[in-house]
Amino acid sequence: MTHASDKPGTARRSYWGVGIYRRPSWFLYILPALAVYVAFMAFPLLASLKLSFYTGNGFRLDTFVGFDNYKKLFSDVDIAPRFWGAFGNTWIFFAVHMLVQNSLGLMFALMLSNKRLRGVGFFRTVIFIPATLAIVVTGFLWKLMLDPNFGPVNLLLERIGLRALALPWLGLEETTLPIISLVSSWQWVGIPTMIFTAALQSIPEDYFEAAQIDGASGWQVIKLIKLPILVPMMGVVGILTFTGNFNAFDVVYAMAGANGAPNYSADILGTYFYRTGIAGKHPVGIPDMGLGAAIATITFVTLLAGVLAMRRLTASRK
Amino acid sequence: MPRIRSAGAAASGKRAGNALSYLVLGVWAVIVLVPLYLMIVNSFKPTSEIFLSPFSVSKAPIFDGFRMVFEEGNFLVYLFNSVFITVLSIVGVMILAALASYALVYWDVRLARAISVFFLLGLMIPMRIASINLIIMLKGLGLLDKLLGLLPIYLAMGMPMGIMILTEYFRTIPRELVQAAHIDGAGSFRIFWAVMLPLARPAMATVAIFNLVNIWNDLWFPLILIRSESQRTLMLGVTRLFGQFQTDWTSVLATLTLATVPILILYLVLSRQFIEGLTAGAVKE
């Protein structure tokens, strides 16, 4: 690996005492971390995957049912529309982030990398502020902002003469999911901005000097020097956005409730999983944990497939 | 090195580009700051004033919202619970991850490399997928609906990132330093404690901040594991208060302000470390 060159060779071993790098006692340092990680992450993860093949009452899932839970999700008259709805909505949620959040992030990073721009530190700090807020707080705050009766957003729209646009943004089936996706993009745009910024800062100064000597325009510098460095980073950002979005829950829960109201139009895999496997359907409140585990497994498989696909995509471009 | 040909009217183009940058960044700054400004400013106004003139600072600020939050809601309980579980988890993650990373860097056997990879796999996998089984496990352990039940989950959750950041950092520490300490007769734990840990302070800060934000802001695990009032964390409490106060915007905004401001202040003081900590995972991939 990285330190292959200073691996303990025979010469070094005499400094260290014989074989100290290979003493089994090192394992004791790893043991506590490994134990917690295996017991509360690796094991429950695998066990949850297994539970997707079971059904039962409440906490006791003792009846093996093969792929029944999956069949229900894919084709049951009552369940399948909810599942496919949530699945599709999660993709929309993801698409908005890719389009808005990551394009803005890229643009902000390019702007902030301009050395003659003043106030870069201020803008950077501001852009990143929402990423430090709790997602629920962000969701609630924007829910109030967008309130159809008293929200400042519509108040402002009315005052500047755009009354027609003063819609109940979180009450219409067409607008709810896009608006929630935009709020979430507002919150997380700082992450791609900073990732792209870090990549841009890694470009050696003399590239720009050479470009200047050659009389390159600002756009040429972006196209020929900056973008080639940013492309592999786009892969990283894409993967990060994908895992984040397919794991999302809080923002929809805060702004549209556990049902993704109105009429499930903002329901995503996270909220559907919560309703099905954990909270239980209103008004009965008894969760179907086996079905929930199946939703989690599908989310997991989608994540895995997506990450691998994006890796391949960006790897081939390098 | 890319080749660049052709000159251009570079200078004037650059000036126009700057103006555009200021415009775009300025508008975005407004979009970010105004909601936060409104949240804070309006938490000091009675509801009627919020609806009439939300954008102005109140001339006669009231504190009813904050009083309401402390007196009617169990805000202090939530706050204490969150501080308690967050601090405990962060300290735990730092200790466990530092010990493990130290060994993973210096223990030169194939098993150690395999374990490193095993930990890093966790970076890819959101822990929420394991929720169903975690609920069943915690119930079996008698930790369901207990604040302390969150501890092992947060420890496990913090491990992949903590170990990645710390192993990378330990690798940059020159081996000669460790060997010198060894010649002086220090055992491996002394070396860890007296040499490695003090040097790793910046990386430890990154780990701490990453976990601070994630744990403090976490809603999912408290939501699915905790029901009792006395065990609620701040974010779970906020969802409850948001429902309880509903149309009482003064109290709702006071709740949100109180939940946000501590981290916000910390961020403004330590913004460089925050940005580093929260983007660490992605950049170092």
Side-chain angles (χ1 to χ4, degrees), chain A residues 24-42, chain B residues 89 91-104 107 115 118-119 151-160 163 189 192:
Chain A
S25 61
W26 282 110
F27 185 68
L28 293 177
Y29 289 101
I30 305 174
L31 187 61
L34 193 62
V36 172
Y37 180 68
V38 168
F40 287 91
M41 186 152 185
Chain B
S89 304
V91 171
V93 168
M94 291 207 293
I95 294 173
L96 296 192
L99 284 169
S101 304
Y102 173 53
L104 288 172
W107 193 25
I115 294 174
F118 179 53
F119 274 121
L151 180 66
I153 294 178
Y154 288 151
L155 288 180
M157 211 162 78
M159 238 19 91
I163 284 176
F189 188 75
F192 171 72

Side-chain angles (χ1 to χ4, degrees), chain A residues 41 69-70 85 117 136 159 208 250 268 310:
Chain A
M41 186 152 185
N69 287 325
Y70 294 93
L117 203 73
V136 240
R159 278 191 195 169
F208 297 113
D250 305 33
I268 57 171
M310 284 200 211

Side-chain angles (χ1 to χ4, degrees), chain B residues 125-146:
Chain B
I125 300 158
M127 185 129 169
R128 287 177 188 190
I129 289 169
S131 297
I132 298 280
N133 199 258
L134 278 172
I135 296 176
I136 297 174
M137 270 175 72
L138 287 192
K139 191 174 161 66
L141 293 169
L143 285 170
L144 199 61
D145 199 17
K146 296 278 190 304

Side-chain angles (χ1 to χ4, degrees), chain A residues 16-63:
Chain A
W16 260 92
V18 178
I20 188 167
Y21 285 118
R22 291 173 190 269
R23 268 187 208 164
S25 61
W26 282 110
F27 185 68
L28 293 177
Y29 289 101
I30 305 174
L31 187 61
L34 193 62
V36 172
Y37 180 68
V38 168
F40 287 91
M41 186 152 185
F43 168 74
L45 179 77
L46 294 175
S48 286
L49 302 187
K50 187 187 136 205
L51 285 177
S52 70
F53 298 106
Y54 285 79
T55 193
N57 275 322
F59 285 82
R60 208 189 268 142
L61 297 168
D62 45 13
T63 319

Side-chain angles (χ1 to χ4, degrees), chain B:
Chain B
M1 165 113 208
R3 269 171 50 210
I4 291 142
R5 272 194 210 138
S6 111
S12 70
K14 273 172 193 161
R15 209 161 300 137
N18 276 1
L20 185 69
S21 297
Y22 284 123
L23 183 70
V24 171
L25 292 170
V27 168
W28 188 257
V30 169
I31 296 176
V32 168
L33 293 175
V34 164
L36 296 172
Y37 162 82
L38 291 176
M39 172 181 81
I40 296 169
V41 162
N42 287 310
S43 65
F44 293 99
K45 293 181 201 165
T47 310
S48 54
E49 198 184 334
I50 298 177
F51 296 156
L52 278 175
S53 54
F55 299 102
S56 60
V57 181
S58 178
K59 281 173 208 89
I62 56 157
F63 298 88
D64 297 24
F66 295 95
R67 198 174 304 135
M68 195 73 172
V69 172
F70 283 110
E71 283 170 9
E72 300 289 310
N74 292 321
F75 193 82
L76 284 176
V77 174
Y78 306 150
L79 187 69
F80 175 79
N81 284 346
S82 265
V83 171
F84 175 76
I85 195 69
T86 306
V87 170
L88 201 63
S89 304
I90 291 177
V91 171
V93 168
M94 291 207 293
I95 294 173
L96 296 192
L99 284 169
S101 304
Y102 173 53
L104 288 172
V105 168
Y106 287 102
W107 193 25
D108 195 45
V109 296
R110 207 173 282 160
L111 178 66
R113 254 156 277 152
I115 294 174
S116 292
V117 172
F118 179 53
F119 274 121
L120 292 186
L121 279 179
L123 288 173
M124 292 285 185
I125 300 158
M127 185 129 169
R128 287 177 188 190
I129 289 169
S131 297
I132 298 280
N133 199 258
L134 278 172
I135 296 176
I136 297 174
M137 270 175 72
L138 287 192
K139 191 174 161 66
L141 293 169
L143 285 170
L144 199 61
D145 199 17
K146 296 278 190 304
L147 185 62
L148 269 181
L150 294 169
L151 180 66
I153 294 178
Y154 288 151
L155 288 180
M157 211 162 78
M159 238 19 91
M161 185 64 79
I163 284 176
M164 185 185 73
I165 292 170
L166 289 171
T167 47
E168 290 218 346
Y169 197 83
F170 284 155
R171 288 219 169 91
T172 65
I173 294 176
R175 294 207 146 193
E176 287 70 23
L177 216 65
V178 181
Q179 285 158 351
H182 185 70
I183 293 164
D184 290 346
S188 65
F189 188 75
R190 264 304 293 286
I191 295 175
F192 171 72
W193 188 254
V195 181
M196 303 301 276
L197 270 194
L199 284 172
R201 232 176 272 153
M204 292 288 261
T206 308
V207 174
I209 285 176
F210 179 79
N211 282 286
L212 169 72
V213 174
N214 275 346
I215 296 172
W216 183 264
N217 289 343
D218 182 44
L219 171 68
W220 178 259
F221 285 107
L223 181 71
I224 69 168
L225 298 171
I226 286 171
R227 205 145 281 180
S228 306
E229 267 300 295
S230 65
Q231 308 293 311
R232 281 173 186 254
T233 61
L234 185 58
M235 289 313 147
L236 193 55
V238 166
T239 60
R240 182 179 152 35
L241 293 178
F242 193 84
Q244 183 184 334
F245 295 136
Q246 278 207 23
T247 49
D248 176 7
W249 281 41
T250 313
S251 303
V252 166
L253 289 169
T255 308
L256 296 182
T257 302
L258 285 170
T260 310
V261 167
I263 294 264
L264 206 58
I265 290 175
L266 212 59
Y267 166 66
L268 293 177
V269 176
L270 297 168
S271 63
R272 202 175 52 81
Q273 284 87 342
F274 263 72
I275 292 175
E276 237 162 64
L278 293 182
T279 29
V283 182
K284 287 183 179 166
E285 196 174 303

Side-chain angles (χ1 to χ4, degrees), chain A residues 233-289:
Chain A
M233 277 300 139
M234 288 176 193
V236 173
V237 168
I239 290 175
L240 222 63
T241 310
F242 188 72
T243 42
N245 288 165
F246 272 77
N247 195 29
F249 166 78
D250 305 33
V251 70
V252 174
Y253 181 72
M255 296 182 74
N259 286 320
N263 193 23
Y264 304 103
S265 61
D267 196 18
I268 57 171
L269 283 174
T271 42
Y272 183 53
F273 171 54
Y274 173 73
R275 276 204 319 280
T276 310
I278 289 155
K281 239 187 257 159
H282 197 72
V284 209
I286 302 166
D288 185 340
M289 292 186 125

